[in-house]
Amino acid sequence: MSLRQLVIIVGITVLGIAAAYMAQIPVVFGFSAGLLALILISLRSGIGGKELGAGILEGVRRTKEVVWLLLLVGMILPCWAISGTLDELIQWALAVVQPQYALTFSFLICASVSMILGTSTGTLSAVGVPLIGMAIHVGVPLPYVAGAVVSGIFVGDRTSPFSSAHQLIAASTETSIPLQWRAMAPTSALAVLVSLAFYGWLDLRTAKSPVEPPASLIPSDLGESLVLLIPILVLLGSIVLRLKTKYGFLLSIAAAIIVGSLQKGVGPAAWLQAMWSGAEHSIVEGKGLLSMVSLVSLIVLAGAFNGILERSNMIGTYIERMMGDLPSLASATWRTGAFGFVLCLISCTQTLPIIMSGRNILPLWSRRFSSAHLSRVIADTSAVLAAAVPWNLLAVLCSTFVGVPVEQYLPFAIFLWSLPLCTYLYSGYLDRAKVRVQA
């Protein structure tokens, strides 16, 4: 496949999605144009129909975990709402978070929990959703707090030793975890400080008359409060025990149904209706299984797109040409970041950009530089930029949880887009300081 054909595929995909946004129709229709272009061009390039079909099936098969998560999100949030768990979580968030510093606290809480749990999805469901509810209650603009929450969860997603993305980066670049962590530490700290300064400034800029928090952190009826929190405690426990996220969600749904049935007297018909069409709640209204149909369709098509890319290996032939001679660490950094971003645009997952950047660039990179710095660059670009692409599976999950379109929260998710700049500046500093970065 020629570079011209690859540019055409990317262009049609991006234009199709942009047209869907402007026409306010499901993104899946716009994305279909890019998938169709990829199939037709692949066939014209000599890829056989059987091989193409195998790639599509393999790609779709790999989306099953994400599809499960989206369907379970459509069930768990309404169940939390009508069981009383969601309102109880919001009350605790209001008690812990100072309303005038809602954005700063939201970022810090999500960053801390994600470092402990090592999962963006688990953190987003466990603490991100109640923080969104708290922000609505105190009048903070929803895109602001969504950006702070998404920024916070990615602190741990890329940095925590317990994170699967962190482990994948190390495996793809053949770097030990301790060495990788040390290489990532400077840009991690800088991006966190930039984020804290940004959210502190936003808090001051949007400050309103303080909302009276609960008189005490401990509720008057602690026993009832703890009962209502059982579904979230079950979810957190499953994450700590390293159960698969989907099993944690299923256990939490079961706990919510039991708690809501016993405490609130919710009947079977109400549970089924809530899970299908959403509950009457400001955060989850209309967010049931029915609302997930278009998103699940997008995920399946994205999986097919991804499967064709992997099967045809159409990207690998351009890597060496793009990377060139790597005259400096800064030059190698921006080229690797640009390559990773293109992969995020067309691969629709976080995993493929990490693996392809690591495995394909490592032989060229290791001729001059340490693999630990490649780990750092991938962690600061490919691993986080996936959440900035509206049709990427990771971004779809984030947008679904926070209830805000990607293009609305992205300007305020400063951790995501400051990291590439931080890593480029740090590489430039190492070049000028002549710090040893060779392999």
Side-chain angles (χ1 to χ4, degrees):
M1 182 176 292
S2 69
L3 181 61
R4 177 174 172 272
Q5 289 173 320
L6 190 59
V7 170
I8 289 173
I9 292 169
V10 175
I12 291 175
T13 303
V14 174
L15 288 174
I17 291 170
Y21 271 115
M22 289 187 289
Q24 295 185 340
I25 60 175
V27 176
V28 64
F29 293 113
F31 186 80
S32 299
L35 178 60
L36 181 60
L38 176 61
I39 291 173
L40 293 176
I41 290 175
S42 297
L43 290 172
R44 288 189 62 184
S45 299
I47 298 176
K50 186 175 181 180
E51 186 178 1
L52 195 66
I56 291 173
L57 288 175
E58 180 62 25
V60 170
R61 193 178 298 116
R62 290 181 182 177
T63 66
K64 62 182 181 180
E65 291 297 323
V66 181
V67 169
W68 264 109
L69 284 179
L70 280 175
L71 294 176
L72 290 171
V73 168
M75 298 167 63
I76 196 170
L77 294 180
C79 286
W80 282 0
I82 63 175
S83 68
T85 298
L86 193 51
D87 286 332
E88 193 64 27
L89 282 170
I90 293 170
Q91 290 303 312
W92 279 84
L94 284 168
V96 172
V97 176
Q98 294 295 318
Q100 62 269 39
Y101 302 112
L103 298 175
T104 305
F105 271 88
S106 295
F107 172 74
L108 282 173
I109 290 171
C110 287
S112 301
V113 174
S114 66
M115 283 296 295
I116 295 169
L117 299 181
T119 166
S120 55
T121 307
T123 304
L124 199 52
S125 57
V127 298
V129 172
L131 288 171
I132 293 288
M134 176 274 301
I136 293 174
H137 184 82
V138 301
V140 177
L142 195 51
Y144 290 12
V145 73
V149 165
V150 171
S151 284
I153 65 172
F154 275 94
V155 173
D157 187 76
R158 66 174 282 284
T159 315
S160 172
F162 307 115
S163 165
S164 58
H166 189 84
Q167 299 283 344
L168 182 62
I169 293 168
S172 300
T173 60
E174 300 176 7
T175 305
S176 68
I177 294 295
L179 189 60
Q180 174 173 283
W181 207 93
R182 286 197 296 273
M184 291 168 54
T187 53
S188 301
L190 183 57
V192 167
L193 290 174
V194 168
S195 300
L196 286 173
F198 178 74
Y199 294 124
W201 171 75
L202 266 187
D203 278 326
L204 293 174
R205 186 168 174 263
T206 59
K208 299 180 180 179
S209 52
V211 177
E212 282 297 322
S216 170
L217 176 63
I218 306 300
S220 56
D221 192 342
L222 181 59
E224 182 181 359
S225 176
L226 291 177
V227 169
L228 293 175
L229 290 176
I230 286 175
I232 192 68
L233 295 175
V234 168
L235 176 61
L236 287 171
S238 68
I239 295 171
V240 171
L241 293 173
R242 301 297 166 192
L243 295 180
K244 286 189 174 181
T245 306
K246 64 181 179 181
Y247 297 136
F249 276 31
L250 284 169
L251 290 171
S252 184
I253 290 169
I257 291 174
I258 294 171
V259 169
S261 299
L262 296 177
Q263 293 288 106
K264 306 288 185 180
V266 181
W271 287 114
L272 291 174
Q273 182 178 351
M275 285 188 281
W276 177 247
S277 58
E280 294 182 2
H281 194 282
S282 58
I283 299 178
V284 301
E285 188 171 1
K287 292 182 182 178
L289 286 171
L290 190 59
S291 68
M292 298 296 165
V293 172
S294 64
L295 289 177
V296 168
S297 301
L298 175 62
I299 295 300
V300 171
L301 291 186
F305 196 106
N306 195 56
I308 296 173
L309 285 177
E310 287 191 312
R311 196 80 174 188
S312 62
N313 193 31
M314 62 178 64
I315 305 294
T317 54
Y318 300 104
I319 294 176
E320 190 162 357
R321 187 191 311 175
M322 180 178 181
M323 295 303 293
D325 295 329
L326 302 181
S328 66
L329 183 60
S331 175
T333 296
W334 80 257
R335 294 181 192 191
T336 301
F339 176 69
F341 182 61
V342 171
L343 286 176
C344 289
L345 286 175
I346 63 178
S347 70
C348 309
T349 69
Q350 181 193 41
T351 303
L352 187 64
I354 290 174
I355 293 175
M356 289 198 68
S357 296
R359 292 179 181 171
N360 290 282
I361 294 177
L362 180 61
L364 303 172
W365 185 284
S366 58
R367 294 173 188 170
R368 290 205 57 191
F369 310 115
S370 166
S371 64
H373 286 285
L374 178 59
S375 291
R376 183 226 339 146
V377 174
I378 292 174
D380 293 345
T381 54
S382 303
V384 295
L385 290 177
V389 179
W391 54 92
N392 195 284
L393 309 188
L394 192 58
V396 169
L397 279 173
C398 291
S399 177
T400 301
F401 270 109
V402 300
V404 180
V406 177
E407 68 275 10
Q408 290 185 20
Y409 75 64
L410 183 58
F412 309 103
I414 189 171
F415 187 77
L416 303 185
W417 52 265
S418 66
L419 268 172
L421 178 60
C422 290
T423 207
Y424 176 74
L425 293 175
Y426 181 59
S427 291
Y429 162 76
L430 293 177
D431 281 333
R432 288 191 297 275
K434 300 188 184 304
V435 175
R436 180 176 174 82
V437 293
Q438 283 76 21

